Amino acid sequence: MNKLPPVDLARQYQQIDAEASAAALAVLRSGYYIGGTVVSEFEQAFAQSVGMPHCVSCNSGTDALYLALRALGIGPGDEVITSAFTFFATAEMISAAGAKPVFIDIDPATFNLNPSLIEAAITPRTKAIMPVHLFGQAVDMTQVMALANQYQLKVIEDCAQATGAQWQGKTVGSWGDVGAFSFFPTKNLGGCGDGGAMTVQSERLAAELRMLKEHGSRQRYYHEAIGVNSRLDALQAAVLQVKLRYLEQWNQARQILAQNYDRLLAPLPGIILPTALAGGIHVWNQYTIRVLSDTSSPSHRRDRVREQLLAQGIISMIYYPIPLHQQHVYGELGYGAGTLPHTEQVATEVLSLPLFPEMTVAEQERVVYALKEIL
Ligand SMILES: *Cc1c(COP(=O)(O)O)cnc(C)c1O
């Protein structure tokens, strides 16, 4: 039986093979592999697509988060409010910068942090809010920015899963002080390896980010800070430049697939379909349903559905089985069971179904048909 994967990057590459291979070969033949015009051209094109004056590229979305925190002067003694329902890197980089992540609960309908819980989490040590635009959906940034302005907090947007998403007509990464993006291959704009970028309004902040990502140096061999080495390879920039031209088209294909799932799965019992807020444009990095648990054994029903899909060759994913406040390394923060009830609940219920721009109608019907049999 042929497998239906959660994403199919080889299929995506077929579509851009001629252009992307030519661009990659041109870099290989040029002999210039680090920096150069390919990288700066991509930075300009990406900044423009986000609607920001500056883009600073780096080696990963993880580095983008870390560099953003460092450039904004966030470190030991500071607190950063974020979600516990996200990839580990979000909180990990807050800790790596020396600050403390403060987790607030999510809105179970959107899986995003619930902005109305931010205010109660603010203390004299709070320096920033790090909203995560999870699964391709923007956080309600109107609310986040209003609080940030009121309390003079910095905002770092984790845009890793939401390249191209919008809130109130403004692209993610253009709301806060820094937008942190990942070009990991499975993101909506993904390279052929690791990559990341930061978008910023201020030229001064862009220069600070560049300094930090180049060993704390503005002028070669003069070092003013303990930085890192974080570069987007020319080879990645070349491929990303080609792929950026397809981003909107691919995001639209994702939206159509999501609408189809909404329509076809709506009658099925025991599941909750994802909610797209009316104020935003969702770009569906993941289509994540909730398989409601029977209270006696959390996650049992979800895990069974996943296994039954797998028995039919359909690979679904669990993002994320263990919320960050329940990760072993964050035990010291003292969040007991039940402190983030919605986060803990959805972690036992979420199941992300295959969805990628090149997915065919027949493939989608196969998923729907299988779920109809199982549920
Ligand atoms: C992928 C991801 C990251 C990290 O990006 P990398 O490029 O893999 O380092 C950070 N935050 C979220 C929400 C992500 O999904």
Side-chain angles (χ1 to χ4, degrees):
M1 178 181 20
N2 69 333
K3 286 230 187 321
L4 179 55
V7 331
D8 190 341
L9 295 170
R11 209 187 294 181
Q12 177 165 88
Y13 196 78
Q14 280 171 16
Q15 192 188 344
I16 57 163
D17 194 335
E19 289 169 278
S21 298
L25 268 177
V27 170
L28 291 175
R29 288 176 176 149
S30 76
Y32 291 95
Y33 306 133
I34 296 288
T37 53
V38 183
V39 175
S40 54
E41 276 171 24
F42 170 71
E43 286 179 336
Q44 276 167 30
F46 191 72
Q48 196 173 12
S49 80
V50 177
M52 289 289 265
H54 305 284
C55 165
V56 178
S57 61
C58 63
N59 183 251
S60 68
T62 303
D63 281 2
L65 293 168
Y66 176 76
L67 290 162
L69 288 156
R70 286 286 311 277
L72 293 169
I74 294 160
D78 298 337
E79 294 179 356
V80 180
I81 296 170
T82 191
S83 172
F85 195 63
T86 172
F87 179 59
F88 186 60
T90 311
E92 182 187 26
M93 290 304 107
I94 296 171
S95 303
K100 180 179 153 191
V102 172
F103 298 116
I104 59 170
D105 209 357
I106 58 165
D107 173 351
T110 63
F111 304 112
N112 279 333
L113 62 72
N114 181 345
S116 60
L117 300 175
I118 292 172
E119 196 161 19
I122 295 172
T123 75
R125 290 172 181 268
T126 307
K127 287 286 156 35
I129 308 169
M130 194 181 272
V132 182
H133 306 300
L134 203 72
F135 300 155
Q137 168 149 250
V139 172
D140 177 341
M141 290 307 291
T142 319
Q143 281 194 62
V144 172
M145 294 314 294
L147 285 164
N149 290 332
Q150 188 184 338
Y151 289 92
Q152 305 264 296
L153 303 175
K154 303 292 185 191
V155 174
I156 299 162
E157 297 175 69
D158 184 338
C159 305
Q161 298 184 11
T163 308
Q166 295 183 9
W167 177 253
Q168 302 290 359
K170 245 167 82 88
T171 308
V172 301
S174 70
W175 285 88
D177 294 274
V178 183
F181 290 85
S182 166
F183 304 129
F184 184 81
T186 61
K187 311 292 183 174
N188 287 36
L189 177 64
C192 298
D194 277 310
M198 298 151 286
T199 51
V200 291
Q201 193 76 49
S202 120
E203 190 168 349
R204 191 199 56 77
L205 192 53
E208 197 77 9
L209 289 166
R210 281 196 197 283
M211 179 273 287
L212 285 167
K213 72 161 223 170
E214 288 165 12
H215 300 288
S217 167
R218 287 178 215 265
Q219 190 189 345
R220 193 174 289 185
Y221 304 125
Y222 291 82
H223 303 273
E224 64 184 83
I226 304 300
V228 293
N229 170 23
S230 187
R231 297 188 272 243
L232 182 70
D233 295 341
L235 206 50
Q236 297 305 334
V239 172
L240 287 166
Q241 218 175 345
V242 171
K243 285 195 169 192
L244 182 57
R245 297 200 283 269
Y246 290 83
L247 178 65
E248 209 173 304
Q249 172 187 330
W250 287 337
N251 280 346
Q252 279 166 10
R254 289 174 184 274
Q255 284 155 1
I256 290 166
L257 289 160
Q259 281 165 17
N260 289 345
Y261 269 142
D262 284 348
R263 183 168 39 83
L264 299 167
L265 299 177
L268 298 186
I271 59 171
I272 296 180
L273 303 181
T275 304
L277 294 180
I281 293 182
H282 197 319
V283 294
W284 302 103
N285 182 251
Q286 300 296 332
Y287 187 91
T288 303
I289 64 169
R290 289 169 58 193
V291 182
L292 297 179
S293 49
D294 27 43
T295 40
S296 54
S297 62
S299 87
H300 175 72
R301 202 167 154 256
R302 184 265 315 274
D303 295 344
R304 217 181 49 219
V305 171
R306 186 175 188 223
E307 277 159 28
Q308 286 172 304
L309 284 171
L310 195 58
Q312 301 196 37
I314 298 166
I315 304 168
S316 59
M317 305 295 283
I318 298 172
Y319 304 117
Y320 295 90
I322 305 167
L324 303 191
H325 69 297
Q326 295 182 323
Q327 293 288 341
H328 184 69
V329 287
Y330 283 135
E332 63 189 32
L333 295 179
Y335 289 84
T339 44
L340 303 176
H342 291 303
T343 299
E344 291 162 35
Q345 174 83 18
V346 303
T348 68
E349 297 176 341
V350 282
L351 193 65
S352 298
L353 304 179
L355 189 158
F356 48 97
E358 304 75 23
M359 189 182 195
T360 63
V361 172
E363 283 170 331
Q364 189 166 34
E365 278 168 357
R366 183 174 157 197
V367 179
V368 172
Y369 187 77
L371 279 170
K372 277 185 177 156
E373 289 213 311
I374 294 165
L375 292 167

